[in-house]
Amino acid sequence: MATTPTPSPTGSGPATRPSAPARTRWVAPLCWAAVALEGFDLVVLGVVLPTLLRNPAWGLTPGTAAVISSTGLVGVMVGALAIGPLTDRFGRRRMMLGTVVAFSLLTLACAFATGPFVFGLLRFVAGLPLGGVLPVALAMVNDVARSAKGGRATTTLMTGYHVGAVLTALLGIVVIPALGWQAMFVLGALPALVLVPLIAARLPESMPEKSEVDEARNPVAVLFHQGSLGTTIAFWVTSFMGLLLVYGLNTWLPEIMRAAGYQLGTSLALLLTLNAGAVVGMLIAGRVADRIGIRAATIVWFVAAAVFLALLSVKLPGGGVFVSVLLAGMFVFSTQVLVYAYISRRYPAAARATALGSSSGVGRLGAITGPLMGGALLGAGLAYPWGFFAFALVAALGAVSVSLVGRASAG
């Protein structure tokens, strides 16, 4: 694949990029498809949990299910923290190929779990390569995007995250009653049969060349040098809040809605609606961010998420609940995507995957906390309506933390 040197957006030296046709034709769609696999993982546990909780052979409780969910997210956290720096050192394409292969094989293995312990162990191991998919994909699309289109490039990529989630929720409604929960993990591994050969044959290397300064500096050190510490910590706190919302709601929304009196089919349909709203919200958020600025857009989105989450505590008749959930999804899930776009603009290209991986990795502590918080509220009989108030508070704290980013300068 032909490459042409172009100036680095950070001014640190020339960047080796694929030719324009290659960028347009392959980077965006292949990264989008890879991110859709993480969208599958985002929702699949929430889709199969109602069935597993009612399987007498496994004897799951909400607390045990929350531990399994958190165990998988620990694996994702470790993977994001480790693979981000490796990507900046050894290249985006190689890491993308390896993470997709490993995650798909381990997802397939989950279908053959014989009990909660084996299932939880496989979720942890599968999370290691999965954690690297997002920072690699985000780094690649931002390597080739024009700076003025950075917000739109990131949010468009992340629609794959929620398209994957929507398809998973939809498949769960159809597949689980007919084929059982195991079929969901088999279906989750099948896309690799097409995606892996395409990545190997068509995905160009987008990693920018490093200047002498970049070569001498560990990419991890870039997160903390020359006054960047405050910005880095603010991004970490914001990612904690953003991912707590995403994983807490996707894991427990069906059960919270059942606690509110809705049927299982309706609860899964609401999970589908939540993620459909996310896709619409991302397409809007990217354009808004490119117009008014990424910082302002991110703050506005967190505030709107807090408002609409609080409104979910109001039980509405008929189709009103679907409208309410759709609006919540439009803002709740776009917040963390805007955070990733913000990070991509605030750090040098040679440390971009490291910055994204660290934020995604540390933020996974929030992803772990979300399911635990939802499980605790459900176990105490407080999930509805107090669960929505708790999530609204988290969104408000996210607005505060991201507003602090502008007070520090990432070099």
Side-chain angles (χ1 to χ4, degrees):
M1 192 74 63
T3 60
T4 58
T6 60
S8 167
T10 62
S12 59
T16 299
R17 293 183 175 180
S19 63
R23 292 201 303 272
T24 302
R25 191 173 302 164
W26 295 112
V27 173
L30 290 179
C31 288
W32 187 93
V35 168
L37 295 180
E38 187 158 2
F40 163 86
D41 184 79
L42 172 74
V43 167
V44 68
L45 190 59
V47 169
V48 302
L49 266 183
T51 300
L52 292 177
L53 286 169
R54 290 158 183 80
N55 182 354
W58 279 36
L60 277 181
T61 65
T64 305
V67 170
I68 290 175
S69 175
S70 299
T71 298
L73 293 172
V74 169
V76 174
M77 177 181 68
V78 174
L81 291 171
I83 294 174
L86 291 175
T87 299
D88 283 328
R89 285 290 186 181
F90 301 111
R92 324 295 204 209
R93 178 182 176 276
R94 182 183 304 175
M95 290 300 169
M96 178 65 78
L97 185 61
T99 55
V100 171
V101 169
F103 164 68
S104 298
L105 290 174
L106 290 164
T107 294
L108 178 63
C110 288
F112 301 96
T114 55
F117 177 79
V118 174
F119 185 68
L121 180 62
L122 287 171
R123 291 283 295 171
F124 170 78
V125 179
L128 296 173
L130 180 66
V133 170
L134 193 57
V136 176
L138 286 166
M140 291 196 81
V141 297
N142 279 280
D143 285 346
V144 301
R146 295 195 300 265
S147 59
K149 302 283 188 179
R152 190 176 305 182
T154 300
T155 55
T156 299
L157 171 72
M158 291 300 293
T159 60
Y161 197 63
H162 290 284
V163 167
V166 167
L167 292 176
T168 303
L170 186 60
L171 283 171
I173 296 172
V174 176
V175 169
I176 292 177
L179 301 175
W181 66 268
Q182 295 91 339
M184 293 298 298
F185 292 95
V186 175
L187 291 172
L190 289 180
L193 296 176
V194 175
L195 184 57
V196 168
L198 284 175
I199 291 175
R202 301 294 184 178
L203 191 67
E205 180 56 74
S206 71
M207 189 173 76
E209 292 179 356
K210 297 179 175 62
S211 68
E212 291 181 7
V213 174
D214 293 326
E215 289 287 358
R217 182 181 295 147
N218 186 314
V220 176
V222 175
L223 306 184
F224 310 106
H225 85 294
Q226 296 180 353
S228 298
L229 176 61
T231 285
T232 297
I233 292 176
F235 276 132
W236 286 354
V237 173
T238 306
S239 291
F240 177 95
M241 302 302 172
L243 289 174
L244 188 157
L245 293 175
V246 170
Y247 278 83
L249 287 169
N250 267 311
T251 300
W252 289 116
L253 182 68
E255 285 297 304
I256 293 174
M257 288 308 194
R258 292 198 74 185
Y262 297 97
Q263 297 300 313
L264 175 59
T266 300
S267 298
L268 291 177
L270 288 171
L271 182 61
L272 171 65
T273 303
L274 187 75
N275 283 279
V279 174
V280 176
M282 286 176 198
L283 293 174
I284 297 171
R287 285 156 176 79
V288 172
D290 288 338
R291 181 174 294 272
I292 70 172
I294 187 66
R295 180 176 182 272
T298 307
I299 294 171
V300 168
W301 246 249
F302 267 108
V303 171
V307 171
F308 283 107
L309 282 169
L311 290 176
L312 286 180
S313 63
V314 179
K315 188 173 181 181
L316 299 174
V321 66
F322 286 92
V323 174
S324 181
V325 169
L326 181 73
L327 290 170
M330 286 176 60
F331 289 97
V332 170
F333 293 159
S334 303
T335 55
Q336 184 58 28
V337 178
L338 290 173
V339 172
Y340 289 140
Y342 200 175
I343 292 168
S344 296
R345 294 190 186 184
R346 291 302 298 264
Y347 294 91
R352 182 172 286 141
T354 300
L356 289 164
S358 74
S359 184
S360 176
V362 174
R364 297 293 167 169
L365 294 173
I368 293 166
T369 303
L372 289 174
M373 184 177 81
L377 289 168
L378 192 68
L382 300 173
Y384 186 87
W386 293 104
F388 290 124
F389 292 132
F391 286 125
L393 176 61
V394 169
L397 293 174
V400 172
S401 61
V402 78
S403 70
L404 300 177
V405 170
R407 301 184 181 183
S409 175

